[in-house]
Amino acid sequence: MFRHLKNLPSPPMPKPGPVSVLIAEDHVLVAEALCCMLERHGRYRCDIVHDALDAKAALRANPGYDIVLLDLNMPGMAGLPDLADMVACAGDTPVLLLTANDQVRVEAAFAAGVRGISFKHHPASETRKAMAKVLSGYRHVPCPPDDSARTQTLRHAFCSDGMPVMTTTQADAGLPAHLR
């Protein structure tokens, strides 16, 4: 059953030192801009790969990544059918899905094991907030800022295993200042 934000456990404090990020994105400009945005905050260290094979190799070579930012459609990855394999390759490292397609089958992406979704057409600050939530043990569900039936369905769809769910609109109200 859905646990309202006020009943969620307190998120853990961030780990000391930089957050290690693997950015798997085939558009070089997008990957480099995202890396620069994150590293500018001083808390992130990023590695970039541009296809699924290199992403898998990077995950095998460095199983210590804190989070993977994964493009849904890039060379070597045919969208949702290959997503579960990539998530399995990441092991315990949470995967935040990056996509330009706001019609992505959200339920299927979460069923494949991603911990959050961030849309490329949203502001960069939204991706950073989504990362903070995922790194804090929440799932990030990009939802419209309303209480529509679709929003309620999304919230309920991702809480069956007891992992807290936080939507986009809950981020500013519910995340502690050190995670915003």
Side-chain angles (χ1 to χ4, degrees):
M1 171 159 262
F2 176 70
R3 293 183 287 170
H4 292 280
L5 185 61
K6 64 184 177 190
N7 298 328
L8 293 176
S10 297
M13 292 299 289
K15 72 171 194 143
V19 174
S20 178
V21 181
L22 176 62
I23 300 173
E25 164 64 61
D26 64 320
H27 291 98
V28 176
L29 178 64
V30 172
E32 290 179 354
L34 186 55
C35 180
C36 286
M37 183 262 312
L38 291 171
E39 289 183 345
R40 184 182 71 220
H41 288 281
R43 185 166 178 252
Y44 300 92
R45 183 190 55 75
C46 302
D47 292 333
I48 299 173
V49 295
H50 301 293
D51 63 51
L53 289 175
D54 287 344
K56 289 177 183 179
L59 288 165
R60 281 191 298 273
N62 181 6
Y65 285 109
D66 295 307
I67 190 168
V68 177
L69 306 184
L70 180 66
D71 184 13
L72 182 59
N73 292 304
M74 64 179 167
M77 191 160 153
L80 287 173
D82 293 330
L83 187 56
D85 182 51
M86 187 62 76
V87 171
C89 233
D92 291 335
T93 303
V95 174
L96 178 66
L97 188 64
L98 298 175
T99 183
N101 180 3
D102 61 5
Q103 299 300 312
V104 68
R105 291 183 15 236
V106 175
E107 292 89 345
F110 278 93
V114 301
R115 293 277 297 281
I117 299 174
S118 185
F119 294 120
K120 292 179 186 177
H121 59 275
H122 286 183
S125 61
E126 291 299 315
T127 296
R128 199 167 53 81
K129 288 177 187 177
M131 289 175 63
K133 288 186 278 184
V134 167
L135 286 165
S136 296
Y138 295 104
R139 284 196 177 116
H140 175 72
V141 181
C143 289
D146 62 21
D147 248 0
S148 68
R150 174 72 174 148
T151 300
Q152 291 301 320
T153 299
L154 287 171
R155 287 180 181 157
H156 289 281
F158 309 118
C159 61
S160 60
D161 63 1
M163 179 179 278
V165 177
M166 189 179 287
T167 62
T168 302
T169 57
Q170 293 170 319
D172 291 328
L175 276 180
H178 72 275
L179 295 175
R180 290 185 199 146

